[in-house]
Amino acid sequence: MPVFDYDPPERFVAGALGQPGARAFFLQARAEGRLTTVALEKLQVAALAGRLEELLDEVLRRSGGTAHVPAIAPTDLADDAPLEAPLAEDFRVGTMALAWDPDTSQVVIEAQEVIDEEDLDAPEPAMLRVRISAGAARAFTQRALKVVAAGRPPCPLCAQPLDAEGHVCVRLNGYRGGEAAS
């Protein structure tokens, strides 16, 4: 199983390429001339960001505020630069795991390659493992949430994404502006 290990990375970000509604999402880690890019779903990026926030808040709560965990992302760690090119996907993410290492005060993020459960001859899945500070995790989360939110605008009635080709709103359910359709 190839393990792409970054302890710590010089850069670790979530990003997306493409037009809203047809975007591809990625995580990228870079250090010492190495670059690892893994593909994942929009929902996985959102879940990772949400779970990171929960983990950091819980560490802060359990420590009574003594842990080296900033309540918000430090501005000097903000990274709004685009994904690095060339964009070569190393693997597609199936599962992810998070942990807090109290000895180093770091967050450990693992993203494991999706595997075909039925392929008995499949090699061990690849893994991206990143160890980052709590401040870097807050900055990662802030950027990841922006990336996720930058998609199609939501319908004001049903909150589903609006498509450029049109939108069939489930809230209208055959009615227009409160009047029955004829």
Side-chain angles (χ1 to χ4, degrees):
M1 157 173 74
V3 176
F4 302 93
D5 207 0
Y6 292 86
D7 183 13
E10 295 163 7
R11 184 175 194 228
F12 178 60
V13 295
L17 292 178
Q19 295 300 312
R23 294 186 299 163
F25 291 83
F26 301 94
L27 298 178
Q28 270 192 340
R30 175 180 38 89
E32 300 172 356
R34 296 182 304 132
L35 179 66
T36 302
T37 303
V38 298
L40 67 170
E41 299 297 323
K42 177 181 179 179
L43 290 176
Q44 288 174 298
V45 174
L48 177 58
R51 296 289 187 223
L52 267 172
E53 283 291 308
E54 289 172 9
L55 174 69
L56 294 170
D57 290 346
E58 183 66 13
V59 167
L60 197 55
R61 186 188 68 74
R62 285 188 181 197
S63 75
T66 62
H68 297 289
V69 176
I72 59 171
T75 55
D76 62 322
L77 295 178
D79 183 345
D80 292 322
L83 292 170
E84 295 185 38
L87 195 75
E89 178 183 316
D90 290 292
F91 63 86
R92 177 160 286 283
V93 174
T95 59
M96 293 184 289
L98 292 175
W100 174 255
D101 184 344
D103 296 332
T104 62
S105 295
Q106 288 182 313
V107 174
V108 181
I109 301 166
E110 293 182 347
Q112 184 173 313
E113 180 179 24
V114 66
I115 57 169
D116 181 1
E117 297 282 336
E118 296 176 14
D119 186 358
L120 300 176
D121 295 324
E124 288 291 316
M127 180 183 298
L128 169 64
R129 181 180 299 126
V130 178
R131 299 174 70 86
I132 55 177
S133 70
R138 290 276 193 208
F140 171 89
T141 298
Q142 186 175 35
R143 176 188 168 118
L145 292 173
K146 279 190 224 174
V147 166
V148 169
R152 297 172 285 173
C155 170
L157 298 176
C158 70
Q160 294 297 313
L162 292 172
D163 289 321
E165 298 83 39
H167 172 70
V168 178
C169 181
V170 296
R171 294 284 309 273
L172 291 178
N173 196 23
Y175 293 89
R176 291 189 184 178
E179 298 177 16
S182 46

